């Protein structure tokens, strides 16, 4: 199944599809109520797709929820292991949509797709939005998964960043990677040895993913001969990295892993930090 689905695909509005609108930020609920796809369930990044860390130095700003909590959330949304789930957000899959796609895939739920172009693709197509506070019908308990697969911890990142046969990709914008600015975390810069590939390079000017062929070229120019399973992707807090992981999947590159803690964890652990100025 392709990780992407187009707004013109009838499966988006099939009554059997579980449609989920992911929002991020303090005003997530208000933005959802201002307009969302009919019968779309509201999911919020902070409450549904992350736990609340006591210390971002352990797990970063958006650590994954416990497997028990995530399974309970899926049950509340009416999701069963056989459900077809379609996810979207209002940020071109960069602030939650791809994160939920990745989480579901990580626990083995394969029937999940992200709406290409997100909410804007729907409005561009003339879809009439709803302002209802849609409430799903809960399903029976979703089986609690054994693990989130395809993740790495900080120790593995340390080793990978120094290895010739492995690659760490930082998908934050170049100014943050170079250490010129840092709007969200405590220190600017990047993991020594990591390369930069801004996540939005995967998007067309209209906010849709590039074709699979164009994405394959984009990513292979960065990955080179490194085996996909030896590639680690990270961002600020493990959210926009999922946007790139989805793009890689669409390009036929399967196996890269997510460093969930990302820069928000690394930068708080008194570890080496590279910047353009220090040349590390």
């Amino acid at each position: 199944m392709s990780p992407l689905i187009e707004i013109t695909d009838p499966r988006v509005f099939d009554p059997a599809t579980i449609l989920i609108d992911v929002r991020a930020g303090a005003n997530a609920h208000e933005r959802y109520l201002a307009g969302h796809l009919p019968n779309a369930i509201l999911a919020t990044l902070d409450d549904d797709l992350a736990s609340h860390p006591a210390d971002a130095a352990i797990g970063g700003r958006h650590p994954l929820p416990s497997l028990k909590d995530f399974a309970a959330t899926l049950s509340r949304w009416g999701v069963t292991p056989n459900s077809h789930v379609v996810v979207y957000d209002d940020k071109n899959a960069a602030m939650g949509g791809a994160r939920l796609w990745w989480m579901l895939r990580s626990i083995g739920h394969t029937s999940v797709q992200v709406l290409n172009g997100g909410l804007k693709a729907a409005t561009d197509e003339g879809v009439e939005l709803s302002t209802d506070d849609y409430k799903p019908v809960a399903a029976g308990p979703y089986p609690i998964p054994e693990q989130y697969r395809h993740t790495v911890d900080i120790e593995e990142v340390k080793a990978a960043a120094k290895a010739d046969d492995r690659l760490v990709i930082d998908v934050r914008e170049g100014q943050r990677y170079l250490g010129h600015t840092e709007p969200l975390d405590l220190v600017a810069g990047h993991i020594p040895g990591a390369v930069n590939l801004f996540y939005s390079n995967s998007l067309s000017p209209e906010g849709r993913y590039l074709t699979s062929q164009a994405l394959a070229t984009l990513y292979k120019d960065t990955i080179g001969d490194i085996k996909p399973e030896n590639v680690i992707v990270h961002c600020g807090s493990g959210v926009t990295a999922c946007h790139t992981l989805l793009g890689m999947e669409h390009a036929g590159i399967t196996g890269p892993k997510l460093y969930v803690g990302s820069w928000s964890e690394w930068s708080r652990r008194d570890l080496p930090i590279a910047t353009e100025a220090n040349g590390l």
Side-chain angles (χ1 to χ4, degrees):
M1 176 178 289
S2 169
L4 294 172
I5 189 169
E6 301 298 327
I7 188 62
T8 52
D9 192 313
R11 291 176 296 174
V12 173
F13 297 109
D14 187 321
T17 295
I18 305 293
L19 187 59
I20 302 178
D21 179 314
V22 183
R23 303 287 176 133
N27 63 342
H29 194 207
E30 289 80 0
R31 296 201 330 273
Y32 166 83
L33 290 177
H36 57 83
L37 297 189
N39 298 329
I41 300 163
L42 172 64
T44 64
L45 173 62
D46 290 317
D47 291 335
D48 298 315
L49 308 186
S51 60
H52 299 276
D55 182 0
I58 308 299
R61 286 184 281 109
H62 289 115
L64 294 168
S66 73
L67 290 158
K68 180 180 179 181
D69 286 347
F70 186 41
T73 297
L74 294 175
S75 299
R76 174 168 55 84
W77 288 339
V79 177
T80 73
N82 297 319
S83 296
H84 180 214
V85 180
V86 171
V87 182
Y88 71 92
D89 62 26
D90 57 352
K91 301 293 182 183
N92 307 116
M95 283 304 293
R99 166 83 165 212
L100 179 52
W101 168 85
W102 181 90
M103 289 171 63
L104 284 164
R105 290 293 301 273
S106 179
I107 66 169
H109 191 113
T110 58
S111 187
V112 54
Q113 296 176 289
V114 172
L115 179 61
N116 195 10
L119 187 64
K120 182 178 183 298
T123 55
D124 287 349
E125 191 66 22
V127 174
E128 184 176 353
L129 301 184
S130 170
T131 57
D132 293 342
D133 198 357
Y134 180 74
K135 301 300 182 184
V137 177
Y142 194 99
I144 298 174
E146 294 182 1
Q147 62 179 332
Y148 289 108
R149 298 176 294 176
H150 305 297
T151 65
V152 297
D153 62 17
I154 197 168
E155 296 303 321
E156 188 168 348
V157 174
K158 290 178 186 178
K162 297 176 181 178
D164 292 337
D165 62 344
R166 304 187 73 181
L167 183 66
V168 178
I169 300 176
D170 182 333
V171 306
R172 296 173 302 153
E173 62 182 315
Q175 293 300 300
R176 294 178 69 188
Y177 171 85
L178 292 172
H180 295 173
T181 185
E182 181 45 63
L184 298 172
D185 292 307
L186 303 180
V187 183
H190 63 269
I191 297 170
V195 301
N196 186 224
L197 179 61
F198 189 28
Y199 75 88
S200 71
N201 290 358
S202 65
L203 294 172
S204 71
E206 297 74 33
R208 298 172 185 251
Y209 275 92
L210 301 176
T211 66
S212 58
Q213 295 85 355
L215 288 172
T217 298
L218 173 69
Y219 298 133
K220 287 178 180 178
D221 283 348
T222 298
I223 295 171
D225 295 330
I226 304 294
K227 295 179 180 178
E229 60 268 27
N230 289 337
V231 174
I232 296 169
V233 182
H234 83 88
C235 54
S237 65
V239 178
T240 53
C242 296
H243 177 280
T244 296
L245 289 167
L246 188 154
M248 289 179 171
E249 181 83 10
H250 188 52
I253 301 170
T254 60
K257 298 177 176 65
L258 173 65
Y259 171 32
V260 179
S262 288
W263 183 246
S264 58
E265 178 180 60
W266 183 280
S267 62
R268 288 169 167 81
R269 296 288 284 272
D270 195 27
L271 293 168
I273 290 175
T275 66
E276 184 178 43
N278 65 28
L280 289 180

